[in-house]
Amino acid sequence: MATDAVAQLADSLAKTQVTEGELSYKGQGRKFDNAQSVEEMVKEIQEFKGLQALRLEGNTYGVEAAQAIAKALETKREFKYCYWSDMFTGRLRSEIPPALNSLGAALMTAGARLTVLDLSDNAFGPDGVKGIEKLLKSTACHTLQELRLNNCGMGIGGGKILAAALTECHKQSSAQGTPLGLKVFIAGRNRLENDGATALAQAFQLMGSLEEVHVPQNGINHPGVTALATAMQHNPQLRVLNLNDNTFTKKGAIAMAQALKHLRSVQVINFGDCLVRSEGAIAIAEAVTEGLPILKELNLSFGEITGEAALLVAQSVEGKATLEKLDLNGNCLGEEGCDALREVMDGLNMGDLLGSLSDDEGEPEEEEEDDDDEEEEDDDDEEEEDDYEEEDDDVEEEEDSSVNQVSSPPSVPRPPDAASFLCFPSPDKLLKLGTKRALLFEQQVDMADAGKTAEAFLKISSVYNEEDEEVKSAVLDSIDAILRKAFASPSFQGYNFVSSLLVMLGLLKSEDKVKPVHVVPGHLQALEYVVRQDYFPQDHIAVLEAFMSRHVQALESCSSARNILKSTLEHVRPEN
């Protein structure tokens, strides 16, 4: 839940190293309005030799008070740590930028080289970011390692200003041979939204040094999540990624899963309350299976994940010796799903690592409208097919009549058309494509799109006939050509292909409201052939096996083909 994210963030914020050379006024709850009110503090700062850290949090400072403190800091060249969170409570927003400006200017005058800048819980908005803009661009921040701006109300505008300042800081520091190496970035509860997150993602990608990123509760949807995912791929030392309580949906979750495949140092993943859904969870499970060797925590709570997908997530943590917690609470498992999940984790000797399931939402209810919608769509498809057939008849009549006209040239048979087959598949059309059918399909199908590739697979396999060797061979040759080429591409998203296949077979509910096909034995017989081929990734076997074991109406008419497929999946499943 969101409260867990806040607790995790608070814990991270609390882990500030107390260094030698620290002067602290933390948590005194005092109100400093003018220079006179901070005279004692100013004197202590001035007299403190080798001052490196100043804690001002938990008090409230007016402009004059801040300016007086700033004056005292102008000689502190060894200064490194600014612990200045929660220091403007009760102040007008207009007071905050000049106060921050004076403090920042003092550090620049002193020639300080900062390591930590913590201004969390100072609801200063975009104007407050402008108050630290010059500081962030200056040499004082070329050495910055931790930037903490949690709960500052920056908004989209503030996020963009911050991103531009960090980009400029990196540019200037790089020119001097010491590129900005920011390690920790914390900016939860700032209403960054997609545009703010995307701007910051560009800065993150440029830096490439991040180890912790916390941006929970920022109203970020899949475009912003995708931008952040791309940026994270360029930060190989990333250890903690906390995006709790943003909205991934399938697109964002798949993009983030792809990013995780490039990261080997990640220890904590918090995607709770992110609506990753089942398709996203499957993609993330594959990423966990393939990598993340030192993963400690995985939080996919409250994400509308169903039972089968949750089991795949559980199976993905097998062998993760460093795992401390798996959180799948608040999803849509149902009582049986929760029991099955516990059973899997117990079987992995990880039962004590599974978090509570007390807030499970129960199995999702089937929408009654789906049947009506499907019937209407079936009618539409039938009308389209009738129109297509009538069009063919008209063309044939025109060709017949043209033969009887002496002045007309002889009719020329239309060339084989892969597009026509994919619209309305039939064994006869497939055979008429001739020996070059595989090449024609390769040219027709956009194999960069995993969803379209899955759709083409189902179209071609729908005419599979075990008893007709010529048709059977034509189907398998065509499928072989398409899938071998698709899976050979490094950019092809195999897990997206599998999830699209499951959605179209009616085994997995999609947020895109995709209409499932009418499953025929040929679909499963062709799939049984495919999973035995060397080009089919073994990582996808467990996903297919989990869903083929479900008792669903869509597969009832193909029980024999399903049983054969299940048996094959068991045999080809990689040994752990």
Side-chain angles (χ1 to χ4, degrees):
M1 295 177 71
T3 52
D4 295 328
V6 174
Q8 183 181 20
L9 201 51
D11 180 61
S12 180
L13 289 167
K15 292 175 181 175
T16 51
Q17 298 287 329
V18 176
T19 62
E20 61 177 29
E22 177 181 286
L23 186 57
S24 178
Y25 301 93
K26 180 180 178 180
Q28 296 181 5
R30 298 170 65 184
K31 186 177 182 181
F32 302 102
D33 293 324
N34 49 42
Q36 184 179 358
S37 64
V38 293
E39 280 182 352
E40 183 180 345
M41 184 186 300
V42 167
K43 184 179 179 182
E44 290 179 344
I45 293 172
Q46 290 173 335
E47 294 178 352
F48 198 116
K49 294 182 179 181
L51 181 66
Q52 295 185 34
L54 179 62
R55 290 186 174 273
L56 299 176
E57 65 262 54
N59 302 292
T60 178
Y61 304 83
V63 176
E64 288 186 18
Q67 290 172 341
I69 294 170
K71 188 68 176 176
L73 289 172
E74 287 181 353
T75 60
K76 303 301 178 182
R77 185 176 180 82
E78 297 177 25
F79 194 78
K80 296 180 180 180
Y81 306 96
C82 302
Y83 299 125
W84 298 346
S85 63
D86 187 22
M87 55 181 284
F88 296 114
T89 301
R91 300 292 172 182
L92 296 175
R93 182 168 287 189
S94 60
E95 293 181 84
I96 301 176
L100 291 173
N101 263 317
S102 60
L103 290 166
L107 298 177
M108 289 186 278
T109 300
R113 294 292 186 269
L114 297 183
T115 300
V116 176
L117 178 58
D118 184 359
L119 290 166
S120 297
D121 300 315
N122 288 312
F124 47 51
D127 290 340
V129 184
K130 292 179 182 178
I132 59 171
E133 185 178 8
K134 289 181 181 179
L135 174 64
L136 289 172
K137 291 180 179 180
S138 74
T139 55
C141 286
H142 286 187
T143 53
L144 193 64
Q145 293 186 15
E146 299 183 17
L147 180 58
R148 302 166 181 265
L149 297 169
N150 195 58
N151 191 30
C152 289
M154 290 188 290
I156 295 172
K160 290 182 175 180
I161 295 169
L162 177 61
L166 290 173
T167 300
E168 182 63 22
C169 182
H170 184 271
K171 178 182 177 181
Q172 296 295 335
S173 58
S174 297
Q176 295 183 18
T178 54
L180 172 64
L182 191 68
K183 294 181 179 179
V184 177
F185 180 85
I186 298 178
R189 301 180 67 184
N190 271 292
R191 305 193 308 276
L192 294 172
E193 301 183 16
N194 290 330
D195 289 347
T198 300
L200 285 167
Q202 293 171 352
F204 295 162
Q205 183 168 332
L206 187 65
M207 291 185 291
S209 56
L210 288 167
E211 296 180 8
E212 290 190 32
V213 175
H214 299 262
V215 286
Q217 297 179 337
N218 268 294
I220 307 171
N221 298 325
H222 74 82
V225 172
T226 300
L228 289 170
T230 301
M232 293 306 103
Q233 293 185 39
H234 297 269
N235 288 265
Q237 301 307 313
L238 189 70
R239 295 183 295 103
V240 179
L241 185 56
N242 176 8
L243 276 83
N244 189 287
D245 202 10
N246 291 292
T247 307
F248 282 36
T249 61
K250 179 183 75 173
K251 291 181 180 178
I254 288 176
M256 197 57 75
Q258 186 66 23
L260 291 173
K261 290 187 176 184
H262 295 266
L263 301 169
R264 303 284 296 175
S265 301
V266 172
Q267 297 177 15
V268 177
I269 298 173
N270 188 342
F271 296 160
D273 267 333
C274 283
L275 208 65
V276 298
R277 296 197 169 123
S278 295
E279 291 172 277
I282 291 172
I284 292 169
E286 285 209 4
V288 173
T289 300
E290 293 178 17
L292 304 178
I294 55 174
L295 185 66
K296 289 184 177 180
E297 295 182 25
L298 176 59
N299 183 349
L300 296 178
S301 60
F302 297 89
E304 292 190 2
I305 300 170
T306 55
E308 292 80 9
L311 291 179
L312 292 170
V313 172
Q315 291 165 0
S316 74
V317 302
E318 182 176 5
K320 306 296 179 186
T322 57
L323 191 74
E324 297 175 0
K325 184 176 182 180
L326 172 63
D327 191 348
L328 288 165
N329 196 21
N331 283 299
C332 306
L333 312 185
E335 187 175 344
E336 291 183 4
C338 288
D339 289 341
L341 181 59
R342 293 189 187 97
E343 185 177 339
V344 168
M345 291 298 287
D346 286 340
L348 299 175
N349 293 319
M350 291 179 161
D352 57 333
L353 306 183
L354 180 65
S356 169
L357 299 174
S358 60
D359 294 315
D360 186 72
E361 299 285 343
E363 292 185 65
E365 296 181 5
E366 294 293 332
E367 296 179 10
E368 296 180 1
E369 298 176 2
D370 285 353
D371 294 337
D372 296 334
D373 292 342
E374 287 178 17
E375 287 177 9
E376 290 177 9
E377 290 174 2
D378 286 339
D379 293 340
D380 292 340
D381 286 346
E382 288 174 8
E383 288 175 10
E384 288 178 10
E385 189 163 359
D386 290 341
D387 292 342
Y388 180 84
E389 290 173 354
E390 287 173 11
E391 195 174 285
D392 277 352
D393 292 341
D394 292 341
V395 172
E396 288 173 6
E397 288 175 10
E398 289 176 11
E399 290 177 348
D400 291 341
S401 62
S402 67
V403 172
N404 297 325
Q405 296 176 8
V406 178
S407 59
S408 301
S411 61
V412 179
R414 286 182 296 174
D417 185 356
S420 172
F421 170 84
L422 291 172
C423 285
F424 302 105
S426 74
D428 187 52
K429 284 182 182 178
L430 181 64
L431 295 178
K432 283 182 179 179
L433 291 176
T435 56
K436 293 185 178 180
R437 64 178 70 89
L439 178 61
L440 293 172
F441 282 128
E442 285 184 37
Q443 295 171 342
Q444 183 65 37
V445 179
D446 180 7
M447 284 179 284
D449 187 319
K452 290 180 180 177
T453 304
E455 184 178 4
F457 167 81
L458 292 176
K459 293 277 189 179
I460 298 169
S461 62
S462 68
V463 303
Y464 181 96
N465 187 340
E466 187 70 36
E467 297 178 358
D468 188 326
E469 284 299 325
E470 187 178 11
V471 172
K472 175 181 174 181
S473 178
V475 168
L476 298 183
D477 287 347
S478 301
I479 288 172
D480 252 344
I482 293 173
L483 295 188
R484 188 177 295 278
K485 185 172 181 179
F487 280 111
S489 171
S491 61
F492 186 71
Q493 297 181 334
Y495 51 82
N496 202 356
F497 169 82
V498 172
S499 64
S500 296
L501 204 60
L502 294 171
V503 167
M504 293 176 193
L505 289 171
L507 304 179
L508 178 64
K509 192 171 183 179
S510 171
E511 64 189 49
D512 298 329
K513 297 189 180 298
V514 175
K515 176 193 172 188
V517 301
H518 173 66
V519 183
V520 296
H523 290 139
L524 306 186
Q525 290 167 325
L527 187 56
E528 190 272 338
Y529 165 81
V530 166
V531 300
R532 290 187 279 111
Q533 306 312 304
D534 58 1
Y535 56 76
F536 191 81
Q538 291 193 325
D539 292 335
H540 302 328
I541 299 297
V543 178
L544 288 173
E545 187 177 5
F547 281 86
M548 286 300 158
S549 299
R550 294 183 62 192
H551 296 289
V552 292
Q553 188 174 355
L555 300 181
E556 284 184 358
S557 61
C558 310
S559 57
S560 177
R562 182 178 70 169
N563 290 336
I564 294 172
L565 174 57
K566 283 172 59 180
S567 176
T568 299
L569 289 169
E570 290 174 6
H571 282 93
V572 300
R573 184 204 311 145
E575 295 294 331
N576 293 309

